Amino acid sequence: GWKHAINTTIINFNNEKMQITWAARELFPNENVSFFYTFDEGKHKVWKSCTIYLLDQDYNSGCLFKTEGPTLAISIRNSKGSEELFSKKLKSDFYIKPNRPENVTFFWKEDTVTVSCNKPERAARCLRLELQYKSKFDKEWQSRTSKCCSVAEQGFDPKKCYSFRVRLGRLVPYCNVVNYTSDWEAETFWMNGMLLDSCDDDTISQSNTVIVLSCLLAVLLMMLILLILLCKRKRVQMSILPAIPDPKYLFADLFNDHNGNLQEWLDKNNQVVLQTKLEYEEPESITEAESQQEDGKNSDKQEPLEKTFTFSGAAENNDVKAAEIACLKPTSNTMTSFAGFHILSNDDTYVML
C-alpha cells in the first residue's frame, strides 16, 4: 500500500533540472532507500540510479537530476534496489518552477511605473510577471500581476521611497498542477524615478534637510532679534544724543548752485531777504497811512492841540541843526544823537519828526 501513500514533492527547475523529495524519517525510519528514474515511455525502459542525493540526518530524502523529457517515471526502492517501495509516472512540464526574471527595467512617468523583463524562449504564454511594492510607511506588500513580461502600476507618491521586487509565476491549472513561482529578483529602492541604495538614505536625507532648515530658521530668528535690538538702541541713542545735522544738506544750494562760492551765495540770499522785507513793509506803511488819515479827521473835529517840546540847554540853540540832522537818512550802523538821545540806526531805519 506504500506505493500510492508516499507523499513526494516534485519540482522542475525551468525545465532544466528535476528535484524529487520525500519524508525519509517518517516513511522509512529504519531503512536508507534508493531512488531510480527514467524518461523513456516505451515498455523497454532504462532506469537510472540517482547520483546526487539530498540527505536528512544521513538518510536519503531526495534526488536531483537533469530534465530529459516531458514524461517522467520514478521508483523508490530498498537500499539494495531489489524491492520497489514507491513508483509514480508524471508530466514533468506540469511541475515547472521558472527562473528569476532577467534584465528587469523600471520606467517612470509621473506617478506611473512600468516594470519589464526579458521574455523567456519557451512557454512565455504560461508565465505571469508579478510586481510587489511598498513604501517605508506600509507594513505589507502591494501586489500587481500582468502577462509576461511587463506590468504597470500608478498612484506612486514622488515624495515617498518605495521598495520593489518582481518574480515570474506559472499559470494554474492550464500549465502547472502546482502553483510554482520563481524566486524574487533582488529588491530595489526608488524615489521619484531615482534609484537609491536603500530607503534609509531617504530618511537620512530628510533628517539632513530638517537640520538644515532648522539652522536657517535659527539664523533668521537671530538676525531679526538683532535688528530689533539695533532699532531700539538707535531710538535710545537719538533721544539721549540727537544727531548733529550735516551742513552739506542744510547748505545744499551753496554747493550745488554756487560750487561753494560763499560770497555769491551770501549776495543772493541778501537780495532774497531784502525783497522779502520790502514786501512785508508795504502793507505796514499802507496801514500806517490809513491810521494817520483817521487821526487827521479826528483832529479836525476836535480843537487843535499844540504840542510844545522843550529842550534844555544846547537843544534850544541848536534846534535847527538837530532838525536837519534828524531829517537826514543815517548811514548804516550809525550812532545818531538827537535832543540828548543816542540812536543806533542801519540802512533800513528812518527817523520821522
Side-chain angles (χ1 to χ4, degrees), residues 162-259:
Y162 291 90
S163 303
F164 290 91
R165 62 182 185 180
V166 292
R167 65 181 178 181
L168 289 172
R170 293 272 293 185
L171 283 175
V172 178
Y174 305 102
C175 300
N176 262 32
V177 294
V178 181
N179 187 17
Y180 282 146
T181 59
S182 70
D183 296 334
W184 290 105
E185 179 62 13
E187 187 175 348
T188 56
F189 307 92
W190 296 81
M191 180 177 177
N192 195 21
M194 297 183 62
L195 181 64
L196 304 178
D197 294 334
S198 67
C199 283
D200 295 335
D201 297 340
D202 174 45
T203 305
I204 295 173
S205 63
Q206 287 186 354
S207 62
N208 292 336
T209 303
V210 171
I211 293 173
V212 171
L213 291 177
S214 301
C215 293
L216 289 176
L217 289 175
V219 171
L220 291 175
L221 182 61
M222 291 179 64
M223 292 178 64
L224 180 61
I225 293 174
L226 289 175
L227 184 62
I228 294 173
L229 292 176
L230 287 175
C231 291
K232 288 187 176 180
R233 181 180 178 184
K234 189 173 182 180
R235 287 183 180 179
V236 173
Q237 186 177 2
M238 289 294 293
S239 62
I240 297 176
L241 299 173
I244 300 174
D246 192 348
K248 184 173 91 172
Y249 299 103
L250 295 177
F251 303 99
D253 54 346
L254 171 62
F255 298 97
N256 296 335
D257 300 338
H258 303 283
N259 296 323

Side-chain angles (χ1 to χ4, degrees), residues 38-54:
T38 181
F39 288 93
D40 295 334
E41 298 182 10
K43 292 181 179 181
H44 303 286
K45 298 178 182 179
V46 179
W47 292 91
K48 297 179 180 181
S49 63
C50 181
T51 57
I52 303 175
Y53 278 101
L54 304 177

Side-chain angles (χ1 to χ4, degrees), residues 17-33:
K17 289 183 179 181
M18 297 291 302
Q19 175 180 295
I20 312 295
T21 58
W22 57 87
R25 299 297 297 166
E26 297 176 4
L27 298 175
F28 314 106
N30 301 319
E31 187 174 5
N32 199 3
V33 298

Side-chain angles (χ1 to χ4, degrees), residues 111-127:
D111 65 338
T112 303
V113 59
T114 303
V115 184
S116 304
C117 67
N118 287 349
K119 188 175 182 179
E121 296 179 358
R122 298 176 56 185
R125 60 181 180 83
C126 290
L127 296 176

